[in-house]
Amino acid sequence: QVQLVESGGGLVQPGGSLSLSCEASGSIFSIVAMGWYRQAPGKQREVVARITSGGSTNYADSVKYRFTISRDNVNNAVYLQMNSLKPEDTAVYYCNAMGYDYRRQAFDSWGQGTQVTVSS
């Protein structure tokens, strides 16, 4: 199994910044892509940002130019630097990793989620 551990959520004022971290552990052979998703109350989960093998990134239009996703392959970690935060960024943020374990089976794992609240 592959487990994801997230950290970095919290309360921040509009315009502020926050950094999220996620480390994957377990029988990981390779990670193809990692990403961040979020779910606000009463809304469906949406992709925030993803980073794939080779470093290609994709961002939701709502966060483009404000958020930056990065990865650390040595530590199987992914980060999300969030700047210029807005109240509408308030949500539970989930880390995701897709890849293959040492049994050559594909995995699609999720973290437990971390709350990000942007409020004055």
Side-chain angles (χ1 to χ4, degrees), residues 29-106:
F29 176 75
S30 66
I31 293 179
V32 177
M34 300 186 77
W36 291 94
Y37 295 72
R38 68 186 181 187
Q39 186 168 18
K43 296 185 177 181
Q44 64 183 29
R45 186 178 62 187
E46 65 175 348
V47 62
V48 177
R50 292 187 62 78
I51 185 165
T52 61
S53 59
S56 297
T57 58
N58 289 282
Y59 297 91
D61 288 341
S62 59
V63 308
K64 191 172 295 184
Y65 310 122
R66 297 189 297 120
F67 293 8
T68 301
I69 189 171
S70 60
R71 68 183 184 185
D72 179 353
N73 290 333
V74 174
N75 295 300
N76 292 319
V78 64
Y79 310 95
L80 186 67
Q81 176 64 47
M82 303 183 292
N83 299 321
S84 302
L85 284 162
K86 304 175 181 179
E88 49 263 45
D89 295 318
T90 296
V92 177
Y93 284 69
Y94 297 91
C95 178
N96 170 256
M98 301 177 64
Y100 297 91
D101 62 24
Y102 280 101
R103 294 181 181 271
R104 308 301 297 172
Q105 297 193 36

Side-chain angles (χ1 to χ4, degrees), residues 1-2 9 12 84 99 114 117:
Q1 292 87 353
V2 176
V12 65
S84 302
T114 183
T117 302

